[in-house]
Every structure is written in structure tokens, then in C-alpha cells.
Amino acid sequence: HTPDLMIYLRCSIPHLVANIQKRGREYEQSIQLEYLTGLNERYEEFIFNYYPGKYMVIEADEMDFLNNPEDFAKITNQIDAALFGLFSLE
């Protein structure tokens, strides 16, 4: 059984690297760019070619949903619209 909606937070490699550096977790600091690139490619391949359920892609580079309530509300509005057919208030 697939979820009602899968949310894919798409991030560019520079954005991922900035987030890793910002978090400062020791075990993440040695992650290679090639690994991140391959991971992004595999996520894209799975979601767009193999995932059987409904999905939503959110361009996370353009948002700060952790610190900006407006960005968080925008995402939750999009989720509500996708799940319940409600109109987004953007």
C-alpha cells in the first residue's frame, strides 16, 4: 500500500552541501559530492519512473520552511490542495 501522498523535497547539490555544513554533524562532513549527485539521480529516477502513487515535488532550494512560517504555510496549503482538493491560498 502506498501513502496517500509522497512529498519529495528536491534540493540542488549546493543546497544540500550548505545544509550539511550548517548542521555540523561530524559523520556527514565527509560525504562526497559524487555520492550526493548519485543519490539525487536515483531519487529522481524512482519518483518519476517507478513510484506507483501520488507525489508532490517541492523545490526546497527556494524555501526555508523550518524558519519561515510563510514558506511552511505555502507547503501545507499545497499538501491540503493535493490531498483534499482545497484551493491553495498563494
Side-chain angles (χ1 to χ4, degrees):
H1 180 70
T2 58
D4 293 336
L5 179 67
M6 181 176 65
I7 301 165
Y8 173 36
L9 300 173
R10 181 189 276 163
C11 290
S12 66
I13 300 302
H15 191 82
L16 290 171
V17 169
N19 283 346
I20 289 168
Q21 291 173 344
K22 193 183 324 178
R23 282 192 298 266
R25 296 176 184 154
E26 185 65 34
Y27 65 90
E28 289 182 331
Q29 300 307 310
S30 62
I31 294 176
Q32 300 292 316
L33 292 178
E34 294 81 19
Y35 175 79
L36 293 174
T37 300
L39 195 59
N40 265 6
E41 290 169 357
R42 285 174 180 83
Y43 274 124
E44 298 272 324
E45 176 75 13
F46 171 73
I47 290 163
F48 298 123
N49 296 316
Y50 298 106
Y51 184 69
K54 187 174 182 179
Y55 62 86
M56 171 186 294
V57 178
I58 295 179
E59 299 297 337
D61 284 359
E62 303 165 10
M63 300 192 155
D64 184 6
F65 51 85
L66 293 175
N67 299 304
N68 184 340
E70 290 177 4
D71 285 347
F72 184 77
K74 183 177 179 183
I75 291 172
T76 57
N77 285 343
Q78 290 175 358
I79 293 168
D80 285 344
L83 288 175
F84 307 114
L86 302 176
F87 294 102
S88 178
L89 302 174
E90 293 181 41

